Amino acid sequence: MNIDGICDPRFGAVREAFAACFDHGLEHGGGVSVVVHGKTVVDLWGGHADAARTRPWRQDTLINVWSSTKGVVALAIAMLVERGKLDYAAPISRYWPEFAAGGKERITLDQVMSHQAGLNGLAVPMDEAGLLAWTPFVDALAAMSPLWEPGSRCVYHALTYGHLAGEVLRRVDGRSIGSFIAEEIAGPLAADFHVGLPDREDSRVAEMIEGPRTSDWVEFVRASPFPHASDNPAPRALAPNDRVWRAAEVPGGNGQSTAHALARIYGMMAAGGVWDDKPLISRAAIEAAARPRFRGMDESFAAPAAFAAGYQMEDPVYAGRASPQTFGHTGWGGAIGFADPGAGVGFGYVTNRMLGFDDMDPRRKVLIDAVYDALSTGGGRRAGP
């Protein structure tokens, strides 16, 4: 497999690990990027952007990164908290009065951002068109009662997270979450990241491919005591192949990105909110967003979870390698972006071949291990899945 891009010789093991993912049949097309102390040391891509293998993956190929979108949404919220427009401890109804209906008047922004709001899905029928249209979905969220006592447990808000956070942002800022990200994050950082992809960019999007066990989690959650994230509407692995999905704003899961964009965004946060000597957000605001809000079991996945304000903490993919303050977010099927302030690392990985595993995606693990091997040894051993 031909791997294109740049790779500092010190991080040669990352290139080897990325190539090995193709050699072992795990990868179809994708990219990996690493920023260290504000400098891009790895930016690689390879494979094919379509299932038929007629389009090579290019430097500017975009792919849906699913829940890795949540971490960029969390940054947008953190920026408005820093500006005094939002308060993590405040009730959502302060900014969105209709949200108080159904006994939700005390649900806080913090609870929404850490999946403790009792709104992991809708209790009324809703098709995918309603989700994509925004207003029907947020109106249904505003009208409903909590599905369980807010603050009593953590249950992953797979899609509702983005509409809840996005509507709060819209109420205080006036812009949609996609417009805010474009103007306040992606634009200043020159990061190729989009929520609500313009028509003019659509030709760059890769085709999503559903691999083995990709959608097992949907049925697992549906069979749990808290099934609502899997219905109204049911998540579809191949939804990103529809133009209507890419055009809409689904900030819980339809960000279109390159690996370079994710690494750049998280590299900025790892550096304390500064990129090219220009401040985007303060170190204190980043630390406030990355403070853990929940540690325990996610009762829909029956698995350990740790969440800050929109960020996953202590993820097993990088556990034991990254510094304890590392934060970020994985995405359904493979994508991941994270910041390690202790090492000054911003990391991004994207793929169009969605895989499902009981514990962790081996592609993510081997790539991240190669990064930390290089950091710890100055060279890094030969790596492979």
Side-chain angles (χ1 to χ4, degrees):
M1 173 58 60
N2 185 43
I3 304 299
D4 293 316
I6 63 164
C7 184
D8 186 299
R10 180 185 177 192
F11 293 86
V14 180
R15 180 189 287 272
E16 293 177 11
F18 189 46
C21 289
F22 288 96
D23 293 341
H24 286 79
L26 292 169
E27 192 63 273
H28 186 92
V32 59
S33 189
V34 184
V35 168
V36 180
H37 299 304
K39 178 184 177 183
T40 300
V41 297
V42 176
D43 192 31
L44 300 171
W45 58 90
H48 294 87
D50 62 331
R53 301 181 187 271
T54 64
R55 287 197 292 140
W57 197 285
R58 303 189 186 281
Q59 183 176 16
D60 66 347
T61 296
L62 296 167
I63 188 65
N64 200 101
V65 295
W66 291 107
S67 285
S68 293
T69 311
K70 290 181 171 71
V72 183
V73 171
L75 172 58
I77 294 295
M79 293 170 75
L80 289 179
V81 169
E82 180 179 41
R83 297 173 190 179
K85 291 189 173 184
L86 291 173
D87 182 341
Y88 288 123
I92 294 292
S93 57
R94 175 186 296 180
Y95 315 111
W96 180 4
E98 299 91 334
F99 184 82
K104 302 193 303 300
E105 64 277 357
R106 290 186 293 177
I107 294 175
T108 66
L109 180 59
D110 238 349
Q111 289 172 329
V112 165
M113 302 299 289
S114 57
H115 304 272
Q116 299 182 80
L119 300 168
N120 52 303
L122 294 183
V124 297
M126 180 69 62
D127 59 13
E128 193 173 280
L131 174 78
L132 302 183
W134 190 270
T135 301
F137 200 77
V138 296
D139 285 351
L141 284 168
M144 69 184 285
S145 298
L147 298 168
W148 35 271
E149 180 63 29
S152 66
R153 53 176 50 87
C154 173
V155 178
Y156 190 61
H157 291 40
L159 291 174
T160 56
Y161 163 98
H163 280 66
L164 290 167
E167 182 65 10
V168 170
L169 181 146
R170 189 185 72 81
R171 295 283 176 140
V172 302
D173 182 78
R175 287 173 285 185
S176 72
I177 183 67
S179 294
F180 186 95
I181 288 171
E183 295 169 13
E184 301 279 358
I185 299 173
L189 288 174
D192 204 353
F193 188 96
H194 312 263
V195 176
L197 189 71
D199 284 341
R200 65 181 181 275
E201 309 293 352
D202 206 51
S203 62
R204 299 195 285 127
V205 177
E207 180 183 2
M208 193 66 78
I209 301 166
E210 184 172 7
R213 304 182 61 186
T214 291
S215 298
D216 283 4
W217 74 269
V218 178
E219 292 305 319
F220 186 91
V221 169
R222 189 172 283 138
S224 79
F226 304 97
H228 297 87
S230 288
D231 290 301
N232 301 320
R236 290 192 304 122
L238 300 186
N241 293 339
D242 299 338
R243 171 59 196 158
V244 65
W245 170 273
R246 299 191 295 270
E249 296 189 12
V250 186
N254 86 331
Q256 304 287 328
S257 185
T258 63
H260 181 67
L262 285 177
R264 201 171 178 92
I265 291 167
Y266 280 106
M268 175 274 295
M269 289 192 280
V274 176
W275 188 262
D276 285 342
D277 297 322
K278 297 176 183 177
L280 195 72
I281 184 173
S282 71
R283 185 182 300 274
I286 295 169
E287 291 174 349
R291 176 179 58 80
R293 269 71 168 181
F294 176 86
R295 285 190 178 95
M297 294 292 291
D298 180 315
E299 297 190 37
S300 61
F301 287 104
F307 285 103
Y311 295 109
Q312 292 171 323
M313 311 291 293
E314 302 160 13
D315 192 276
V317 174
Y318 49 71
R321 305 308 305 271
S323 60
Q325 63 266 47
T326 300
F327 61 92
H329 217 293
T330 55
W332 186 11
I336 185 172
F338 68 83
D340 179 351
V345 169
F347 180 91
Y349 165 69
V350 302
T351 178
N352 66 344
R353 185 169 191 248
M354 297 175 67
L355 298 180
F357 294 90
D358 287 339
D359 47 3
M360 64 183 72
D361 189 324
R363 299 168 298 182
R364 293 191 295 222
K365 179 165 174 51
V366 73
L367 291 168
I368 292 168
D369 280 349
V371 170
Y372 283 95
D373 286 346
L375 289 171
S376 63
T377 66
R381 56 176 174 77
R382 184 175 182 82

